[in-house]
Each structure stands twice: as C-alpha cells, then as structure tokens.
Amino acid sequence: DVKVTQSSRYLVKRTGEKVFLECVQDMDHENMFWYRQDPGLGLRLIYFSYDVKMKEKGDIPEGYSVSREKKERFSLILESASTNQTSMYLCASSLEGRVYGYTFGSGTRLTVV
Amino acid sequence: AQTVTQSQPEMSVQEAETVTLSCTYDTSENNYYLFWYKQPPSRQMILVIRQEAYKQQNATENRFSVNFQKAAKSFSLKISDSQLGDTAMYFCAFLYNNNDMRFGAGTRLTVKP
C-alpha cells in the first residue's frame, strides 16, 4: 500500500523554537507539497517541490522554509515558531503530471504556545 | 486566478439516504481536472472521484457520482445510500495544467443513524 508518512501526528512547541515537520513518500513521486489547513479556509499551499533540491513558493510561504535533499523526503521548517502558525499541516505527493490527484499524509497538528 | 467555492459549510443526512454536496469554480480555461477529496476524522485525505473537463460523461465510483456542468462551472458530488463511514469533511479541488491544485473551504458531512 502506497504511503505518505508524516513523522508526528501531534506536536506542541514554544514560541521562537525552530520546528521541523518531516514527510516521506514511498511512491517515487516527483512532486511533493506542504499545505496548511485551517477551518473555513480549506487547504493553502505553503511550498512545493518538483525535484530534489528544487522548491517553489506557494500562497503562504512567509515564516516557512523547506528542504528536499532526497526524492522521498520533504521537510517543512518553521524558522521561529509563532502562535499564528498553530494549525494542521498536510503533506502530499503526486506524479510529475498532477492530473491523477495527490496522495496525502495523515497530517500533523501543530500547537505553538 | 482559479477559485473554488463550497457554499455549504455543514450538511447532514440520514443513513441510507442520498445527499448532494455543491461546488462551483471560476476559470477561463477549457481543459482542466476536478476532484473530490474526503477527510474522515482520522484525518488522512483520500481521493473520492475525479473528472476530466473534456469528458462530458459524469464520473462515477460506486456510491459516489458527480454532476459536472461545465457551462455553469459546477461540480457537485452525490453520495447514494449514505453510510456512517461517509461522515467526513469533503473538499472540492480544481487543477489546471501543471499548476497548483486549488481547494474549496470544505463541507462537513454528518451521516446520522
């Protein structure tokens, strides 16, 4: 069964901490994405990557960075966590042509206190 | 820019009955793809159904079917014989070419016994 795995389901961090969210896929997908999900706003794209070491900003990249050193792994980094980054974070992957949809991970609920 | 609107934040349906979730989108493109995703309380988003805009025939997957009205830019999801396991958030999504997938704000569906 193909999978996108996010390392943590729940995470509590303090304001100002550097936070790493990890995502691994085993489908040999070219594209990987990080979304933020908030009630009433749907999913908003933070960053995506179409190849190793490549990244593109999405709609809301401020306060975030990403790293893709290997094809299967895509990390989201909160350089200095703030309370307004408390949210659900979803990782997804897709084939190069995205037309068959995305495969999502189970999400990480991050709370910044 | 493409936008996706789900006008029903919450809906409920009795078990075994039929329910329709609404989705409209705005685009000037002719060839694109539409999706419905389901996010159950376990949180992992899964693809329910997919429609290619150049196909006139409405997509069907078991109890799930769509009513795709291209001229009206409408893409509703019909769930027949609703089951308790259908309780979830449902997201409509739009994809054009190889651009970012755009998601609606979601509809929370509750199936009542």
Side-chain angles (χ1 to χ4, degrees):
Chain A
D1 196 15
V2 294
K3 282 185 180 176
V4 175
T5 303
Q6 294 184 232
S7 55
S8 304
R9 286 182 68 84
Y10 299 95
L11 215 51
V12 179
K13 295 293 182 181
R14 296 194 178 277
T15 301
E17 276 192 77
K18 191 169 185 176
V19 182
F20 293 85
L21 302 183
E22 305 288 343
C23 176
V24 177
Q25 51 98 0
D26 64 0
M27 297 166 284
D28 201 35
H29 281 174
E30 289 81 5
N31 297 321
M32 296 189 75
F33 309 86
W34 276 106
Y35 283 89
R36 173 174 170 159
Q37 182 183 359
D38 298 289
L41 297 178
L43 278 67
R44 293 180 292 167
L45 183 64
I46 304 171
Y47 269 97
F48 72 96
S49 168
Y50 54 89
D51 201 353
V52 175
K53 297 190 184 296
M54 307 304 290
K55 60 184 179 183
E56 293 285 344
K57 293 180 180 179
D59 296 324
I60 52 167
E62 297 78 17
Y64 304 94
S65 62
V66 290
S67 172
R68 193 169 181 197
E69 296 295 320
K70 295 183 178 181
K71 189 175 184 180
E72 67 270 18
R73 186 180 297 270
F74 192 35
S75 302
L76 179 69
I77 304 157
L78 286 66
E79 298 290 344
S80 177
S82 64
T83 55
N84 62 13
Q85 293 178 309
T86 291
S87 186
M88 171 73 76
Y89 291 88
L90 296 177
C91 177
S93 71
S94 80
L95 291 167
E96 184 177 3
R98 308 180 189 188
V99 299
Y100 293 100
Y102 296 176
T103 302
F104 284 86
S106 295
T108 296
R109 169 80 67 188
L110 173 67
T111 302
V112 183
V113 298
Chain B
Q2 288 80 12
T3 58
V4 179
T5 302
Q6 294 179 248
S7 58
Q8 306 149 314
E10 294 188 16
M11 294 189 72
S12 63
V13 63
Q14 291 296 132
E15 195 175 7
E17 294 188 347
T18 295
V19 64
T20 299
L21 309 184
S22 300
C23 174
T24 59
Y25 56 94
D26 183 27
T27 185
S28 58
E29 304 300 335
N30 193 45
N31 293 323
Y32 48 86
Y33 300 84
L34 296 161
F35 306 84
W36 277 98
Y37 285 89
K38 171 185 177 181
Q39 187 182 40
S42 64
R43 294 195 319 218
Q44 184 156 21
M45 297 256 289
I46 55 175
L47 179 63
V48 175
I49 201 164
R50 170 181 172 271
Q51 175 78 40
E52 300 167 353
Y54 61 86
K55 289 188 176 180
Q56 293 184 340
Q57 187 172 5
N58 289 326
T60 299
E61 289 288 343
N62 301 314
R63 298 182 295 108
F64 297 87
S65 61
V66 299
N67 183 6
F68 174 47
Q69 301 289 330
K70 192 172 184 179
K73 298 179 183 176
S74 171
F75 182 60
S76 60
L77 175 70
K78 186 172 83 171
I79 306 174
S80 303
D81 185 25
S82 296
Q83 301 176 359
L84 297 178
D86 295 333
T87 291
M89 282 288 288
Y90 287 82
F91 292 95
C92 177
F94 171 98
L95 177 69
Y96 161 65
N97 202 3
N98 217 26
N99 294 321
D100 300 339
M101 189 174 290
R102 293 288 166 182
F103 290 83
T107 296
R108 183 177 302 279
L109 176 68
T110 301
V111 180
K112 299 179 178 179

